[in-house]
Amino acid sequence: MHEENKAVANGCSKIRRGAQNGAALLALMEKTGYSMVQQNGQRKFGGPPPGWEGPPPPRGCEVFVGKIPRDMYEDELVPVFERAGKIYELRLMMEFSGENRGYAFVMYTTKEEAQLAIKILNNYEIRPGKFIGVCVSLDNCRLFIGAIPKDKKKEEILNEMKKVTEGVVDVIVYPNATDKTKNRGFAFVEYESHRAAAMARRRLIPGTFQPWGHTIQVDWADPEKVVDEETMQRVKVLYVRNLMISTTEDKIKAEFNKFKPGVVERVKKLRDYAFVHFFHREDAVAAMSVMNGKCIDGASIEVTLAKPVNKESSWKQHFNGQISPSSENLLGFPNKEDYSKTLGKPASLSVRLNGQHSPAPPEVERSTYPIFPGIKLTPISMYSLKLSHFSSAVMHLDYFCHKNSWAPPEYCLYSTTSQDGKVLLVYKVLISSIADDSQSYFMPEKLCTTVEDAKELAAQFTLLHL
């Protein structure tokens, strides 16, 4: 009888809370003039707002909001997010129970308002002890297509994609690092909309479509990293792609100094791409327009402004795990001194690995749960899991090699001793399956004090270059 009374009381309490919430939402709609409709598991506030004329705001105006308390609704969220600017639309994801699902999407009328929301509301304490996360949200219109024959040209790939999918805008193909007449075995296909890309992804599921007699791999590509205009206006570093492996840093520096001697501060080359640092931004912008498309050692180069990397962000990407080759700071060391300096003088070698110095991605849960008596455990292969189940670069690299039908990575440990007698370690990673195709071993230029950090750093470095 006591349990029945308790259940009835809880039910009444939920009804009262629901009624109070309903009244608060009605009051919000009356005050703002915005409409509200619930469909397909989400509740949409606005979209468009009252008096709006013209098309919806462009890409880059929407932010993703995570870690929202499950009993918090639009009457509390809207006033918070209005601090950054005019809300075009707020979409709160809902459960059947009436609670929210812990996340929402807020679209502003301008990109500047969205960037301001990220700046002032990320890690905002929305309730005592409850901090929300806010980051940019982009509709992905690009697919990653892997296992493409390396002798296929851009036009051939473009025509093949247009045969079987609709809305193809462009195909991005990168030349092989060692043989510029071949591609790298993958391409990015750009579609006119997220819906078109989603329909194409469904159409291109491996096994249902085999261009040139090959089974291809299809996944979402990483969205291009968005950097606010204010930050980009300060950039004085150029990102140079499609270099020959044999091209040296001195050669690159000399070529970029030709249009105006002495403007290049330094060059950092990594495999077939490089970062060219200038003393002044105006010289970097001028060099970009002059050097883009020029030939260095027989290779036609692509030159763009380098996008700054958030040093507090994780090395991992949150979509399909592909690593952007422009991520200069992927390894996350607190300094960029040459490793030879660390041999003479003790330096901080702490690596920002997996949440020790930076927050883990919000969707990755690092928790333990009890195994209750009678619980059913099912054998499973790690390769059947999603990338969100992996928290280390070592596991990610193993998964990446398996996905590309390569041999598992081999780790060879090396050591040296600093002047103060400290043993410093580094791993060389060997992937034998790609020995005939491109560089088969990878070794970072940094030393670590522990075996675990050295192995994790080597795996990160290898992922970057692959």
Side-chain angles (χ1 to χ4, degrees):
M1 182 67 70
H2 173 72
E3 292 299 323
E4 289 181 5
N5 291 340
K6 185 177 179 181
V8 170
N10 287 338
C12 292
S13 177
K14 287 183 178 179
I15 292 172
R16 282 196 299 271
R17 285 200 302 270
Q20 291 168 355
N21 178 243
L25 294 180
L26 285 172
L28 175 67
M29 288 188 286
E30 290 176 3
K31 177 183 177 182
T32 61
Y34 280 63
S35 63
M36 191 179 298
V37 61
Q38 184 165 334
Q39 59 183 8
N40 300 327
Q42 63 180 352
R43 193 158 63 201
K44 187 168 73 170
F45 174 81
W52 180 269
E53 295 181 2
R59 294 182 75 204
C61 294
E62 188 174 68
V63 298
F64 170 81
V65 185
K67 297 187 286 187
I68 300 172
R70 295 299 183 101
D71 59 348
M72 178 173 283
Y73 302 100
E74 292 86 348
D75 57 303
E76 292 184 75
L77 292 171
V78 168
V80 171
F81 284 90
E82 280 182 333
R83 298 177 190 178
K86 184 177 179 63
I87 295 175
Y88 176 86
E89 175 185 87
L90 186 151
R91 293 182 291 125
L92 183 62
M93 303 300 115
M94 302 296 294
E95 300 278 15
F96 288 115
S97 64
E99 290 185 327
N100 76 63
R101 297 173 62 185
Y103 66 97
F105 296 88
V106 182
M107 182 180 291
Y108 289 92
T109 58
T110 67
K111 294 180 181 180
E112 291 74 21
E113 292 171 335
Q115 289 296 325
L116 179 60
I118 295 170
K119 185 175 182 180
I120 66 175
L121 296 176
N122 187 36
N123 291 322
Y124 174 75
E125 189 173 12
I126 201 160
R127 279 184 183 170
K130 302 292 183 181
F131 297 85
I132 57 173
V134 181
C135 63
V136 70
S137 169
L138 290 175
D139 283 338
N140 203 347
C141 300
R142 184 177 293 182
L143 294 182
F144 169 84
I145 311 294
I148 292 175
K150 296 187 177 181
D151 60 343
K152 299 302 174 184
K153 306 299 182 186
K154 174 178 178 174
E155 294 73 20
E156 296 177 273
I157 300 170
L158 179 62
N159 291 333
E160 198 68 24
M161 291 298 107
K162 284 185 174 180
K163 285 180 184 177
V164 294
T165 62
E166 296 180 358
V168 177
V169 175
D170 193 18
V171 168
I172 302 167
V173 183
Y174 297 121
N176 190 286
T178 54
D179 184 353
K180 299 299 182 183
T181 65
K182 296 181 179 181
N183 68 62
R184 295 192 179 186
F186 64 87
F188 297 98
V189 184
E190 188 79 21
Y191 289 86
E192 62 186 13
S193 66
H194 176 72
R195 175 177 171 78
M199 296 299 291
R201 181 173 178 265
R202 185 178 301 177
R203 173 72 179 87
L204 297 173
I205 295 173
T208 61
F209 172 60
Q210 295 186 335
W212 312 290
H214 284 68
T215 299
I216 59 173
Q217 298 168 351
V218 182
D219 210 337
W220 288 109
D222 279 344
E224 293 187 53
K225 185 161 67 72
V226 176
V227 180
D228 64 271
E229 190 64 28
E230 182 182 349
T231 300
M232 288 304 296
Q233 288 296 327
R234 298 194 297 268
V235 172
K236 53 183 181 179
V237 181
L238 297 181
Y239 173 54
V240 184
R241 190 202 301 271
N242 197 34
L243 291 161
M244 298 296 292
I245 294 290
S246 58
T247 301
T248 64
E249 292 180 350
D250 288 339
K251 174 73 172 180
I252 298 168
K253 186 173 184 178
E255 290 291 332
F256 276 81
N257 267 328
K258 278 184 179 179
F259 89 101
K260 187 176 180 182
V263 295
V264 177
E265 178 187 1
R266 61 189 173 92
V267 174
K268 176 63 177 176
K269 183 173 184 281
L270 298 164
R271 196 161 164 74
D272 62 339
Y273 61 93
F275 295 92
V276 182
H277 297 251
F278 287 77
F279 289 104
H280 304 290
R281 173 181 165 78
E282 56 269 25
D283 292 327
V285 174
M288 177 175 64
S289 61
V290 171
M291 295 300 295
N292 187 39
K294 295 288 186 181
C295 282
I296 297 181
D297 291 341
S300 178
I301 61 172
E302 296 177 28
V303 185
T304 59
L305 283 172
K307 293 185 177 181
V309 176
N310 181 359
K311 295 182 180 181
E312 295 302 317
S313 65
S314 171
W315 65 271
K316 290 201 296 184
Q317 302 293 319
H318 307 323
F319 286 84
N320 67 344
Q322 302 299 319
I323 305 298
S324 166
S326 61
S327 301
E328 185 185 23
N329 293 328
L330 174 77
L331 307 181
F333 279 90
N335 61 73
K336 293 187 177 180
E337 294 181 2
D338 188 271
Y339 86 101
S340 61
K341 295 180 182 178
T342 68
L343 296 178
K345 179 181 178 182
S348 173
L349 287 175
S350 62
V351 189
R352 294 179 184 178
L353 301 176
N354 304 314
Q356 294 179 21
H357 292 286
S358 60
E363 70 273 23
V364 178
E365 181 181 1
R366 303 291 298 275
S367 305
T368 60
Y369 293 84
I371 298 180
F372 295 107
I375 194 171
K376 183 180 179 181
L377 299 175
T378 305
I380 187 174
S381 166
M382 62 172 270
Y383 303 113
S384 67
L385 298 172
K386 295 181 180 179
L387 284 169
S388 59
H389 290 100
F390 302 107
S391 62
S392 75
V394 172
M395 295 299 294
H396 188 103
L397 178 59
D398 189 285
Y399 181 94
F400 184 80
C401 289
H402 181 271
K403 186 175 181 181
N404 286 277
S405 302
W406 297 340
E410 300 176 36
Y411 293 85
C412 303
L413 185 63
Y414 296 86
S415 71
T416 188
T417 306
S418 64
Q419 288 185 357
D420 60 356
K422 184 178 294 184
V423 175
L424 302 176
L425 307 168
V426 66
Y427 269 102
K428 178 189 287 187
V429 181
L430 175 67
I431 303 178
S432 57
S433 302
I434 59 174
D436 297 332
D437 188 22
S438 57
Q439 181 180 337
S440 59
Y441 68 88
F442 307 87
M443 188 168 72
E445 297 179 348
K446 297 287 184 179
L447 296 155
C448 297
T449 54
T450 69
V451 171
E452 292 85 0
D453 283 356
K455 193 169 186 178
E456 183 74 1
L457 178 60
Q460 288 188 15
F461 183 83
T462 305
L463 283 166
L464 169 65
H465 286 74
L466 290 176

